[in-house]
Amino acid sequence: MNIKKFMPLLAVTLCGFWIVLFVLKIAFAESDDWFANVFTYRLYAFGLSPLYLIWAAYIGRYLSVPAVIRIGSRGKALAVAAVCKAACAIVYTSLFIASVNIFAVFLMPDIGRGNLSDIFGFFFSYLLGFTLMGLLADIVSHAGNKFMSENAYFCAFLVEVFELAALEPALRNIPFIDRTFIFSCVFWKNIQGYIMLAVWIALSLIYLFKVSRKADYL
């Protein structure tokens, strides 16, 4: 992949991060309120996730048919695609967390140290969540439906938005209902959330490798 071709997307991403952080600063003058609204499902679902999927789709363009053929097997091609999506998630999440840290240190000096320490927890949960979303897009692309395959990233986005913005809030106050879904684990803020996301990622990879043996990955 030509890194120079990736620079405009990188610049747009960083500008987008800082614009959002500034808007939230204007809307929420108190540091704690600002921090609470930076790490919400609304920003995650409607702001960060779509931009990450653009990154993932951009990276996916370089896994063209000739490139996959040179890899030699469907299993290896799937492994390469998964590693690329994970690397994309690492870079993307690191940029966002770094932007929040720099913004908080220089422009929100009264922010609590406890909030700053929470950022590292969000780094891992967001990283796992974005990785899972990339795998979900790959699963949708193997659904056997032409429309879904051609719009796999958009379908993955719709699944996440439906869960975080509709399903999970609707069931939040209903007792005796287990709300252990997929992307809601991102906001559990504990080790159980990391474990659940890792389990979903492992199951997604197992399913994709199973599909790759039965159908042409290309």
Side-chain angles (χ1 to χ4, degrees), residues 2-207:
N2 191 330
I3 300 298
K4 291 184 179 180
K5 293 182 178 180
F6 191 72
M7 295 307 294
L9 180 58
L10 179 62
V12 170
T13 300
L14 288 174
C15 289
F17 288 162
W18 280 79
I19 289 172
V20 169
L21 296 175
F22 269 112
V23 170
L24 290 176
K25 185 179 187 301
I26 295 172
F28 303 97
E30 294 293 331
S31 295
D32 290 342
D33 292 338
W34 173 83
F35 182 86
N37 283 274
V38 167
F39 294 101
T40 62
Y41 77 86
R42 295 178 184 86
L43 181 58
Y44 180 86
F46 296 103
L48 300 178
S49 295
L51 190 53
Y52 166 72
L53 289 175
I54 293 175
W55 275 51
Y58 185 88
I59 297 297
R61 290 173 51 196
Y62 290 90
L63 294 173
S64 59
V65 173
V68 173
I69 290 176
R70 287 195 297 268
I71 293 175
S73 71
R74 294 189 294 266
K76 290 181 180 180
L78 181 60
V80 170
V83 169
C84 288
K85 297 291 176 60
C88 179
I90 291 173
V91 175
Y92 181 79
T93 307
S94 298
L95 287 174
F96 176 69
I97 296 299
S99 296
V100 173
N101 270 292
I102 295 172
F103 192 96
V105 169
F106 290 99
L107 298 177
M108 309 294 290
D110 57 335
I111 193 169
R113 291 188 177 182
N115 287 337
L116 288 176
S117 65
D118 288 341
I119 291 178
F120 296 100
F122 280 111
F123 171 81
F124 292 108
S125 59
Y126 276 28
L127 171 60
L128 293 171
F130 290 138
T131 301
L132 179 59
M133 185 176 298
L135 294 174
L136 178 60
D138 289 337
I139 291 175
V140 173
S141 69
H142 289 80
N145 181 283
K146 183 178 179 180
F147 175 82
M148 294 179 64
S149 297
E150 293 177 349
N151 299 276
Y153 293 99
F154 181 67
C155 291
F157 169 69
L158 290 180
V159 170
E160 184 206 46
V161 168
F162 174 73
E163 178 189 336
L164 293 179
L167 183 61
E168 202 277 340
L171 300 178
R172 183 176 300 159
N173 297 321
I174 300 178
F176 311 113
I177 293 183
D178 185 4
R179 294 183 289 108
T180 304
F181 302 123
I182 304 175
F183 296 103
S184 56
C185 301
V186 172
F187 298 94
W188 281 12
K189 300 180 182 179
N190 53 38
I191 190 64
Q192 288 82 1
Y194 304 148
I195 293 174
M196 286 302 303
L197 288 169
V199 168
W200 280 117
I201 289 173
L203 292 175
S204 299
L205 287 171
I206 292 172
Y207 175 80

